[in-house]
Amino acid sequence: MSTENEGTQVPPAPSAPPVPVDTPAAPAPTADTPSGPPGPEASARPEPAPAGEPEHAPRDAAPEPATPQAPAAPPAPAPQIPDPYAHTTGTHAMGTPAPGTHATGTHPAAAHAQAPAPASVAASGGAWPPPPPPAVPSYAQGGGSGWGTSWTAEQPSAPKPGGRRRGGLVAAVLAAALVAGGVGGGIGYWAADRNDDNSTDSTTVSASDAPADLKREPGSVAGIANKALPSVVTLEAQSGSGEGGTGTGFVYDREGHILTNNHVVASAAEGGKLSATFSNGKKYDAEVVGRAQGYDVAVIKLKNKPSDLRPLALADSDKVAVGDSTIAIGAPFGLSNTVTTGIVSAKNRPVTSSDGGSSKSSYMSALQTDASINPGNSGGPLLDARGAVIGINSAIKPAESGGLGGGQSGSIGLGFAIPVNQAKNVARQLIKTGQATYPMIGASVSLADASGGAVISDRGATGSGPAVEPNGPAAKAGLKSGDVITKLDETVIDSGPTLIGQIWTHKPGDTVKITYERDGKERTVDVTLGERKGDS
């Protein structure tokens, strides 16, 4: 792998089912109604019921004493004559209530209690109330239900069955809803008003101001970051011509050595300027101690180092497992002290990278992570859940379209880190001698992408000379040009860069088992790794 760096409709009010007429209650005398038997005039118009009287008297209510009468015939429809009292009912010409009022000046819910006594019964002097009429709904006779008596008197014919009662029921339902809405609105206003009286203009909720209430465990991301940040630096490298960039590093030891990537400090290696800034803002000049371009590792040293340096602990990267938590710290796009998290997505990922400044590439068998890594994170530590370093963030796989506006690409969750075990070995060599040693098999392989293995070339790396060095490790093991190496120990090899990256996880003098194919046959051979000093 080559990398770079919606209201539902309101249903109509239900029609009321036919209701048998109950025996109406006797109207109570009022202040303007004389006591005694009602005269003809009194029987011609209804008397309004007292406010709050129920729609019907209870079925078991005792009737007033009266001489028993034979059952009366069903009442005839009221005569169609003008109602002399219509001017008192607040109706329009056709009996509909005036806007904003009820027909009788009472609440719609009480309208059913205001039907007049049948005229035939009153004229006969019979007792009131009469026995129940045949089971015919009163609203089928046009008698006094719905909005009131004025409606019946003013109509040229009896209303259609159910017409007015439905209107009365709907009105009652609507009125009840309005009352309920008014109550709810009042309660809501009251609650809001009380809330406004006891609070500021804001309705947000504040957390406790006591810092002691908030505890961060040492093993939490916050705890690890708090401990590690003082040991991470932002590096600024500048070449002699003024070109340069920003990267990251971390304290390797108490002597002032900082571990980072080669491509971070390469521009300052030859007569340039280099500085390191800690999380507390203190800035120190630094110098390059050694670089290993093939490994993409470098060591620099602080000038006038502080006395309170705290090196980060180094973990055993060989023991890392896919799925382990990771924490990356660095200066992406120059944003120092940035902390991101993720997991180990894969191990032994073959990665070929380049700083773009030379024809030579770096090869690694990398730890892959989805922790956000961006330009500027290079050289920073990749930590495990304990806060120990498991790798040096080095490369990312950018989106093919590049960055926003054609600028630098950002993280798409594919970041790669040099395993710290390898970086540690290289750092020791650089501190000791200024250069690194590379294990080798003494054979050139094709760097073209392939899936079948690493093919030993037919000529040397420079384009001339033999591909297999005479008396080198590969030659001694019997390897030849054209052989296809498919495995190194238990690791499958699919290309030349993969082979190089795997070899560089070892040390010179290690013996490895190589599986290769020749003439369609698979063979296995042990190879003792040789050594190459420096990047030349």
Side-chain angles (χ1 to χ4, degrees):
M1 177 186 298
S2 179
T3 63
E4 260 184 69
N5 305 351
E6 154 121 11
T8 58
Q9 182 177 2
V10 177
S15 301
V19 180
V21 175
D22 294 333
T23 302
T30 62
D32 56 355
T33 304
S35 60
E41 180 178 348
S43 64
R45 64 187 176 93
E47 293 299 325
E53 181 176 332
E55 182 179 3
H56 298 291
R59 295 180 182 273
D60 56 354
E64 295 183 6
T67 304
Q69 299 291 329
Q80 300 180 15
I81 59 175
D83 183 1
Y85 300 98
H87 68 280
T88 66
T89 62
T91 63
H92 292 300
M94 295 304 292
T96 57
T101 65
H102 293 298
T104 60
T106 62
H107 195 282
H112 298 292
Q114 299 175 23
S120 60
V121 176
S124 66
W128 185 263
V136 177
S138 63
Y139 50 82
Q141 301 294 330
S145 64
W147 287 92
T149 59
S150 61
W151 184 91
T152 303
E154 293 177 1
Q155 294 300 314
S157 62
K160 295 180 180 180
R164 297 305 294 175
R165 181 172 293 272
R166 173 169 178 157
L169 289 174
V170 172
V173 172
L174 291 176
L178 289 173
V179 170
V183 172
I187 292 174
Y189 172 80
W190 174 81
D193 185 58
R194 286 177 61 86
N195 186 62
D196 288 345
D197 290 342
N198 298 323
S199 66
T200 63
D201 291 339
S202 175
T203 58
T204 57
V205 179
S206 298
S208 171
D209 292 332
D213 293 343
L214 186 58
K215 296 182 180 180
R216 295 184 177 92
E217 298 298 329
S220 67
V221 173
I224 292 172
N226 182 64
K227 182 178 180 180
L229 278 168
S231 300
V232 179
V233 296
T234 298
L235 299 177
E236 295 179 22
Q238 189 175 32
S239 67
S241 63
E243 297 179 356
T246 301
T248 309
F250 62 91
V251 177
Y252 178 73
D253 58 27
R254 292 186 174 86
E255 282 66 46
H257 291 113
I258 304 294
L259 193 56
T260 186
N261 284 140
N262 171 68
H263 73 261
V264 170
V265 302
S267 61
E270 303 294 337
K273 296 180 180 180
L274 185 62
S275 65
T277 304
F278 284 80
S279 60
N280 59 9
K282 293 184 178 180
K283 187 174 183 177
Y284 299 86
D285 289 335
E287 61 184 356
V288 177
V289 172
R291 303 184 299 129
Q293 186 173 2
Y295 292 119
D296 197 18
V297 174
V299 175
I300 66 173
K301 189 173 184 180
L302 303 177
K303 297 178 180 179
N304 301 316
K305 67 176 180 66
S307 59
D308 59 348
L309 287 176
R310 294 188 297 174
L312 289 179
L314 306 181
D316 184 352
S317 56
D318 289 341
K319 295 182 179 180
V320 171
V322 172
D324 283 351
S325 296
T326 59
I327 302 172
I329 303 179
F333 299 103
L335 301 175
S336 301
N337 311 313
T338 296
V339 178
T340 59
T341 63
I343 63 169
V344 175
S345 303
K347 295 178 61 177
N348 302 317
R349 184 71 75 193
V351 174
T352 302
S353 65
S354 173
D355 59 7
S358 69
S359 60
K360 294 184 179 181
S361 297
S362 299
Y363 302 93
M364 67 185 84
S365 181
L367 294 176
Q368 180 181 326
T369 182
D370 65 349
S372 182
I373 297 175
N374 291 282
N377 274 105
S378 290
L382 184 66
L383 310 177
D384 62 13
R386 303 170 302 163
V389 181
I390 59 175
I392 301 177
N393 299 318
S394 182
I396 63 173
K397 173 63 177 176
E400 296 300 329
S401 59
L404 296 176
Q408 284 183 300
S409 299
S411 172
I412 59 171
L414 296 173
F416 306 97
I418 302 168
V420 74
N421 285 4
Q422 179 179 3
K424 177 173 60 178
N425 292 332
V426 175
R428 288 172 179 170
Q429 296 172 29
L430 295 176
I431 292 172
K432 183 177 181 179
T433 66
Q435 63 180 356
T437 58
Y438 296 85
M440 53 178 291
I441 63 171
S444 297
V445 294
S446 172
L447 300 179
D449 290 338
S451 60
V455 181
I456 298 179
S457 304
D458 57 358
R459 63 186 64 187
T462 61
S464 62
V468 179
E469 297 180 3
N471 299 317
K476 293 179 179 179
L479 295 174
K480 300 179 179 180
S481 293
D483 289 345
V484 181
I485 299 174
T486 58
K487 292 178 68 175
L488 190 147
D489 292 331
E490 299 303 319
T491 301
V492 174
I493 304 300
D494 59 2
S495 66
T498 301
L499 177 63
I500 296 172
Q502 280 298 313
I503 291 173
W504 287 2
T505 63
H506 293 80
K507 299 177 183 178
D510 288 350
T511 299
V512 296
K513 180 178 292 187
I514 290 180
T515 301
Y516 65 99
E517 293 180 357
R518 180 189 297 170
D519 299 330
K521 295 181 180 180
E522 184 178 273
R523 307 182 184 190
T524 300
V525 64
D526 289 338
V527 177
T528 300
L529 300 177
E531 178 183 81
R532 187 193 79 195
K533 292 186 179 290
D535 291 309
S536 57

